[in-house]
Amino acid sequence: GQSLEQPSEVTAVEGAIVQINCTYQTSGFYGLSWYQQHDGGAPTFLSYNALDGLEETGRFSSFLSRSDSYGYLLLQELQMKDSASYFCAVLTGGGNKLTFGTGTQLKVEL
Amino acid sequence: EAQVTQNPRYLITVTGKKLTVTCSQNMNHEYMSWYRQDPGLGLRQIYYSMNVEVTDKGDVPEGYKVSRKEKRNFPLILESPSPNQTSLYFCASSLSGTGAPGELFFGEGSRLTVL
């Protein structure tokens, strides 16, 4: 099966930079995704990495190292609205199966 | 507007009373999936479907059934609900399992309580 580890909680101040790490153990790895979820609402897609390296989308960047089975989500210029849960998820099973981690709750403070 | 629609959004029921949670998407997506979310456990996949008439078990399929008779609909059926199925359920869809890798579009969720 698959297992993913990410911190349960991270706290940062508005305007700062925060990194949320994700390590995984899986077979048939295709790629790593990140999702954001506000207060039990619908999770929304943030990014997907299939290859090693950094992908940047506005204030958010995502990194993957396949050899280390490790990735992270980097949030810059934090805003209060970034307070949410962030989930990493591994794509396996020939690209058919997306397995989520348990999520990291990010609290942004003034 | 592109969306995934689930109904009901909230439901309280009793043990053993069959229920169906409907899911419909208007994006012509081939891939659909059901997840349940419980505190501290993240999102766990129940069933998924690659296309019409093609369904497969996820990580926690026990106690659930699904069907995919039409491309747009993917209902989740609880034949005999039990209290351990009290959860927040999400339906999601994607262009295909690999066509839009790792990008799922989620419904707003259905909060189910089984007494």
Side-chain angles (χ1 to χ4, degrees), chain B:
Chain B
E1 180 190 353
Q3 58 187 6
V4 178
T5 304
Q6 299 178 221
N7 280 295
R9 294 287 315 281
Y10 301 91
L11 179 64
I12 300 174
T13 189
V14 296
T15 299
K17 186 176 181 181
K18 180 180 178 179
L19 69 93
T20 299
V21 186
T22 63
C23 175
S24 180
Q25 51 90 6
N26 63 0
M27 295 171 279
N28 201 36
H29 283 171
E30 293 180 351
Y31 181 94
M32 298 185 75
S33 183
W34 277 101
Y35 287 85
R36 62 177 287 176
Q37 185 173 28
D38 303 288
L41 296 177
L43 291 140
R44 294 181 292 166
Q45 191 176 46
I46 304 171
Y47 270 94
Y48 65 93
S49 169
M50 292 298 297
N51 213 324
V52 175
E53 302 292 0
V54 180
T55 63
D56 213 341
K57 294 177 180 179
D59 296 315
V60 288
E62 297 78 20
Y64 305 95
K65 287 174 57 178
V66 293
S67 68
R68 188 89 183 273
K69 294 185 171 61
E70 304 165 285
K71 197 171 188 178
R72 63 182 293 132
N73 296 323
F74 190 44
L76 179 70
I77 303 156
L78 286 74
E79 292 272 3
S80 182
S82 62
N84 64 13
Q85 293 178 297
T86 292
S87 188
L88 178 59
Y89 291 87
F90 287 102
C91 180
S93 72
S94 174
L95 189 59
S96 78
T98 54
E103 179 175 4
L104 290 176
F105 294 85
F106 282 84
E108 291 300 314
S110 296
R111 189 169 292 281
L112 171 66
T113 301
V114 183
L115 301 175

Side-chain angles (χ1 to χ4, degrees), chain A residues 44-71:
Chain A
T44 55
F45 173 80
L46 292 176
S47 67
Y48 174 75
N49 295 67
L51 303 175
D52 287 356
L54 191 68
E55 297 273 348
E56 298 181 56
T57 309
R59 294 188 297 115
F60 293 4
S61 304
S62 57
F63 172 83
L64 175 65
S65 169
R66 295 174 69 112
S67 59
D68 294 323
S69 298
Y70 164 75

Side-chain angles (χ1 to χ4, degrees), chain A residues 6-22 34 36 46 54-55 58-63 70-86 104-109:
Chain A
Q6 50 181 130
S8 58
E9 266 189 35
V10 173
T11 301
V13 297
E14 195 175 31
I17 299 172
V18 72
Q19 179 174 310
I20 300 174
N21 298 320
C22 175
W34 288 91
Q36 179 190 61
L46 292 176
L54 191 68
E55 297 273 348
R59 294 188 297 115
F60 293 4
S61 304
S62 57
F63 172 83
Y70 164 75
Y72 66 72
L73 180 69
L74 190 73
L75 297 84
Q76 302 182 68
E77 300 172 19
L78 280 174
Q79 302 175 10
M80 297 298 291
K81 68 178 182 179
D82 296 329
S83 292
S85 291
Y86 292 85
T104 298
Q105 186 170 3
L106 171 65
K107 297 178 183 176
V108 180
E109 301 176 334

